[in-house]
Amino acid sequence: MNGDDQILEYLLKDIPVMPPSSNLEERIISAAVPHAEKERSLPFSEWLLHLTIPRSAYALAFTLVLGVLVGLAAPSDLSVSSDPDMIDSFLYDDEGIL
Amino acid sequence: MAAELNKLTDEKLMELIQKHHHAAFATLVRRHTHRFYAVAYRSLFNQSEAEDIVQDAFLKIWNKPTIWKAGRGAKFTTWFYRVVVNGCFDYDKKKKPYLLDEAHEIPEDSALMAETVERESRYGMMEDAIRRLPERQRIALNLCFYEGLSNKEAAAIMNVNLKALQSLIMRAKTTLRETISSDIGDVA
């Protein structure tokens, strides 16, 4: 090794490494807590708070409820009632019983 | 439990990590964080970015431990150097402009200030010179010079052949000598 290399190596070795944060190791370790463990430790109230329902699901549920309400409120003209004449009209045609 | 884990080799710890053994992961992190932080720091010269790279590298092996293939005969550290070095390469692609960080803050005491200014300017000059090197030259220098790895190991980590690695180191040293001599005079 010649003198130039020695000077260069001396200068290179002289560069300090700024120490990492004191809690770097613990930060890495805690960032890697198993996912299952994180989920398990979540109480129900917390889980409920974090529960998010997508807007499309709200729209679908609302449409279904509206449909049921409209169905219940509408006059049941098409329903097969217990009226015997109505039943007869299904069972008979002009030429007699089916 | 921790004492028993401390006796295990890195490779054995990795086998446990593959079974989601969190204490084994903690042992590995405590064993190697400083070493790999130094590698990242000497590539980026920024504390928080070097910390992020080391954290990402460790979390990668926790979240996807199967990326470590046991039985190929490779040492964990050699393989993990590659993970960290790749992290540095990725970071370099989206590099931010150079900023003077806290390491170079200058104290107010006048005697200390003169000494610090001289030392800091020397550090700063060397850091700048290394920072200006192409990333592959910088990493090659880092692995061989600072980490003390053999050329063969460094070549394997950088995924280049031996001749290419030697060429990278030679060019890095030549560039540094030229830069230094132009900055402070007769070094070369």
Side-chain angles (χ1 to χ4, degrees):
Chain A
M1 189 187 292
N2 62 28
D4 293 349
D5 277 342
Q6 279 178 339
I7 294 168
L8 181 63
E9 291 204 359
Y10 168 76
L11 288 171
L12 285 172
K13 284 223 167 92
D14 208 28
I15 300 175
V17 172
M18 191 181 181
S21 314
S22 55
N23 64 344
L24 176 62
E25 291 152 349
E26 298 314 310
R27 214 169 66 206
I28 296 171
I29 292 164
S30 60
V33 169
H35 293 302
E37 207 172 288
K38 275 182 193 168
E39 281 162 18
R40 225 182 297 132
S41 61
L42 209 63
F44 180 72
S45 56
E46 282 280 307
W47 175 82
L48 207 61
L49 279 175
H50 289 98
L51 182 70
T52 48
I53 302 173
R55 202 174 284 179
S56 54
Y58 277 121
L60 185 67
F62 177 75
T63 311
L64 279 171
V65 170
L66 191 70
V68 169
L69 289 176
V70 168
L72 287 174
S76 53
D77 287 347
L78 297 174
S79 64
V80 179
S81 65
S82 55
D83 183 355
D85 292 339
M86 284 283 283
I87 296 169
D88 284 350
S89 70
F90 279 104
L91 297 176
Y92 294 92
D93 65 3
D94 293 342
E95 291 165 15
I97 195 161
L98 288 171
Chain B
M1 177 69 171
E4 283 170 26
L5 288 171
N6 273 330
K7 288 177 195 162
L8 296 179
T9 62
D10 297 337
E11 293 72 26
K12 286 280 175 202
L13 289 174
M14 275 309 295
E15 281 175 27
L16 291 173
I17 291 168
Q18 287 181 329
K19 292 170 191 161
H20 304 289
H21 197 301
H22 192 251
F25 176 76
T27 305
L28 198 73
V29 169
R30 290 196 184 102
R31 192 179 287 175
H32 290 300
T33 294
H34 278 71
R35 177 183 191 171
F36 289 102
Y37 163 81
V39 175
Y41 182 85
R42 284 199 171 101
S43 298
L44 305 169
F45 292 105
N46 183 295
Q47 185 200 38
S48 63
E49 286 157 2
E51 286 182 359
D52 286 349
I53 282 182
V54 175
Q55 177 164 340
D56 286 352
F58 274 115
L59 290 182
K60 206 173 272 181
I61 59 173
W62 174 252
N63 292 325
K64 211 178 172 188
T66 49
I67 57 174
W68 158 256
K69 305 285 180 204
R72 282 187 181 177
K75 273 173 70 184
F76 166 77
T77 47
T78 307
W79 173 79
F80 199 59
Y81 269 121
R82 196 176 299 159
V83 178
V84 173
V85 163
N86 285 340
C88 294
F89 281 149
D90 290 343
Y91 176 79
D92 263 355
K93 285 177 193 160
K94 39 188 174 176
K95 198 171 188 171
K96 295 170 202 159
Y98 169 74
L99 292 170
L100 197 68
D101 60 23
E102 290 158 17
H104 300 105
E105 279 175 8
I106 294 165
E108 284 178 15
D109 177 290
S110 60
L112 194 60
M113 191 163 82
E115 191 191 319
T116 309
V117 165
E118 195 265 327
R119 191 174 350 106
E120 291 297 327
S121 78
R122 200 170 66 226
Y123 294 158
M125 182 198 69
M126 284 305 293
E127 270 192 24
D128 268 350
I130 296 172
R131 212 188 281 258
R132 282 200 296 266
L133 289 174
E135 65 178 11
R136 299 187 79 78
Q137 289 181 28
R138 195 167 61 237
I139 302 274
L141 192 76
N142 195 349
L143 294 176
C144 294
F145 186 78
Y146 290 108
E147 295 304 309
L149 299 180
S150 68
N151 286 2
K152 198 177 164 189
E153 281 175 309
I157 289 165
M158 294 184 69
N159 209 17
V160 294
N161 64 40
L162 200 57
K163 280 199 166 183
L165 181 98
Q166 285 165 339
S167 163
L168 285 171
I169 293 170
M170 203 175 72
R171 276 184 281 149
K173 283 189 170 181
T174 307
T175 311
L176 285 178
R177 264 192 235 107
E178 285 169 4
T179 311
I180 293 160
S181 64
S182 70
D183 281 354
I184 60 166
D186 193 21
V187 170

